[in-house]
Amino acid sequence: MRPSGTEPGDFVEFDYDLVQAERRQQIRDVLNEVRPKLEKETGVKLKITNAGNDLVLSADGHVRFRASLSPDGRVVITDLKSSDRL
């Protein structure tokens, strides 16, 4: 992000909620691409839901995969076992 039309000493505000919403949308776009492959692999229908700043893929009310954005901008999808541990 780079503010435009500012001069040294100006106070610049960023809309953090908008940044978070864009971040979640990027993750959701990736999840929509990989969800069919994961459903085929696991044999269950997965649903995308919000979980704080991350998104999760749930099956039968239990979180199956957690997706987050890494510092370098990659989406990381973590497979959680039935005990909710890695």
Side-chain angles (χ1 to χ4, degrees):
M1 291 182 284
R2 200 177 315 160
S4 61
T6 61
E7 297 179 13
D10 286 352
F11 180 76
V12 178
E13 282 188 50
F14 291 103
D15 186 347
Y16 187 69
D17 291 333
L18 178 61
V19 171
Q20 288 298 94
E22 288 174 354
R23 177 182 176 271
R24 278 191 302 275
Q25 186 58 49
Q26 289 174 328
I27 295 171
R28 187 176 300 278
D29 291 344
V30 171
L31 287 181
N32 280 323
E33 288 179 29
V34 301
R35 184 173 55 180
K37 295 175 192 170
L38 292 172
E39 287 175 339
K40 185 177 179 181
E41 185 177 313
T42 60
V44 294
K45 191 80 171 157
L46 298 168
K47 179 181 176 184
I48 300 173
T49 56
N50 292 338
N53 290 330
D54 298 337
L55 277 87
V56 295
L57 288 167
S58 302
D60 301 325
H62 298 286
V63 174
R64 185 68 175 89
F65 298 93
R66 178 173 299 277
S68 59
L69 202 59
S70 69
D72 64 356
R74 294 180 299 137
V75 173
V76 177
I77 300 174
T78 305
D79 185 3
L80 302 174
K81 301 297 181 198
S82 59
S83 66
D84 290 334
R85 295 185 180 151
L86 297 177

